[in-house]
Amino acid sequence: MTEMIVESRGMDVRIGEHLALRGVSVAIDAQDFVAVLGPNGSGKSTFIKSLLGIRKLAAGSLSIFGKPPGQSDPMSIGYVPQIKTFDRTFPALSVDLVANGLTGRWPGRISKLALSRATEALSHIGADHLANKRIGSLSGGELQRVYLARALVRRPRLILLDEPATGIDVSGEADFYDLLEAYRREQELAIVMVTHDWEAAFHHASRILLLRGEQVAFGPPQTALTEDRLREAFGHVGHAHSVYGSEAHD
């Protein structure tokens, strides 16, 4: 039986007096790649922060590995934020940043175990060559890969990504999503990814969570990214026509 990783029922989340999310009910198992889509302000990042235990529920229920958010083993969850808050002038190497995912602090000296794990994580995503580059010299795409390795160094069973393609050029995006999908299959873990990229979501995700302050749809791309659903979420369809196009209706 496939392990249930995330399960919510009627989940509401308030930020102050604002009801940021309403009525979200999902079931995500160990083999799911879930893309979270919606217009700006639709609650996408709020959903991720709820899974991390940063945002508290106002109503409904939410469990991660069968426990309330924030109560499961922190090493079981890897997180890649959209905004990188560290000082890029800090004289650290990429391998230091990856090892930071294990220790939670900048090491003065990396232990042999942490170095081995960090090098392994970089190797898994084809970024061995970045290990000894200073973080201040990394391109946007390279930095995203290093942050992904920082999440993977924990050997998590759930990876949360908030706009992971930010800073990556168009040619690098496809490689990044292919890399994610290959790693998910190899390690049999769940991925929840916030994105604005409808086409990447359609071609890589096993399920789509479509939001507009409330849950518009949750299901396979072919049923969640229909023209009616997209109009309900975004108020228009626009360039998404090529996404759901003939494949969604075959």
Side-chain angles (χ1 to χ4, degrees), residues 120-190:
E120 177 188 80
L122 285 164
S123 178
H124 265 304
I125 60 170
D128 316 58
H129 62 291
L130 301 177
N132 294 312
K133 287 190 68 173
R134 288 189 177 273
I135 56 177
S137 70
L138 299 175
S139 69
E142 289 173 338
L143 185 60
Q144 283 294 71
R145 282 186 177 244
V146 170
Y147 254 87
L148 178 59
R150 181 177 178 269
L152 299 181
V153 75
R154 298 180 171 209
R155 297 174 181 168
R157 293 183 289 154
L158 170 65
I159 299 177
L160 306 176
L161 305 124
D162 197 349
E163 296 287 357
T166 300
I168 302 178
D169 60 35
V170 175
S171 62
E173 282 187 29
D175 289 341
F176 186 82
Y177 290 127
D178 287 342
L179 182 155
L180 276 178
E181 176 59 16
Y183 190 85
R184 183 199 64 78
R185 288 196 304 268
E186 176 187 334
Q187 300 297 321
E188 296 185 348
L189 48 76

Side-chain angles (χ1 to χ4, degrees), residues 3-248:
E3 180 186 13
M4 189 61 63
I5 303 295
V6 176
E7 188 169 17
S8 71
R9 296 181 180 178
M11 183 176 88
D12 292 356
V13 180
R14 287 188 180 276
I15 301 177
E17 296 300 313
H18 173 61
L19 187 59
L21 273 182
R22 181 173 65 253
V24 176
S25 298
V26 301
I28 300 171
D29 66 35
Q31 298 181 25
D32 271 329
F33 188 156
V34 178
V36 185
L37 292 164
N40 290 336
S42 62
K44 301 185 298 297
S45 291
T46 297
F47 179 71
I48 291 288
K49 290 176 180 177
S50 298
L51 300 186
L52 290 167
I54 298 171
R55 297 291 186 195
K56 305 303 181 183
L57 269 61
S61 65
L62 172 63
S63 64
I64 316 294
F65 303 112
K67 298 180 180 180
Q71 294 188 20
S72 55
D73 178 3
M75 288 295 157
S76 65
I77 300 175
Y79 174 49
V80 180
Q82 179 181 5
I83 300 174
K84 314 301 187 290
T85 57
F86 70 94
D87 182 359
R88 292 193 65 169
T89 66
F90 188 76
L93 305 176
S94 295
V95 71
D96 298 326
L97 180 58
V98 176
N100 171 261
L102 283 174
T103 64
R105 62 183 184 276
W106 288 110
R109 176 181 297 175
I110 303 177
S111 69
K112 288 184 179 180
L113 175 60
L115 178 61
S116 174
R117 290 276 293 271
T119 302
E120 177 188 80
L122 285 164
S123 178
H124 265 304
I125 60 170
D128 316 58
H129 62 291
L130 301 177
N132 294 312
K133 287 190 68 173
R134 288 189 177 273
I135 56 177
S137 70
L138 299 175
S139 69
E142 289 173 338
L143 185 60
Q144 283 294 71
R145 282 186 177 244
V146 170
Y147 254 87
L148 178 59
R150 181 177 178 269
L152 299 181
V153 75
R154 298 180 171 209
R155 297 174 181 168
R157 293 183 289 154
L158 170 65
I159 299 177
L160 306 176
L161 305 124
D162 197 349
E163 296 287 357
T166 300
I168 302 178
D169 60 35
V170 175
S171 62
E173 282 187 29
D175 289 341
F176 186 82
Y177 290 127
D178 287 342
L179 182 155
L180 276 178
E181 176 59 16
Y183 190 85
R184 183 199 64 78
R185 288 196 304 268
E186 176 187 334
Q187 300 297 321
E188 296 185 348
L189 48 76
I191 295 176
V192 178
M193 175 183 74
V194 169
T195 182
H196 280 95
D197 191 333
W198 299 350
E199 187 166 357
F202 185 88
H203 290 291
H204 292 279
S206 59
R207 297 176 191 266
I208 304 291
L209 174 58
L210 192 57
L211 298 173
R212 189 184 176 88
E214 62 183 354
Q215 182 172 314
V216 175
F218 178 69
Q222 292 81 0
T223 58
L225 292 180
T226 63
E227 182 172 356
D228 287 345
R229 295 292 195 187
L230 289 169
R231 287 191 186 281
E232 185 178 350
F234 291 90
H236 63 87
V237 177
H239 66 276
H241 183 75
S242 63
V243 175
Y244 63 78
S246 60
E247 288 184 68

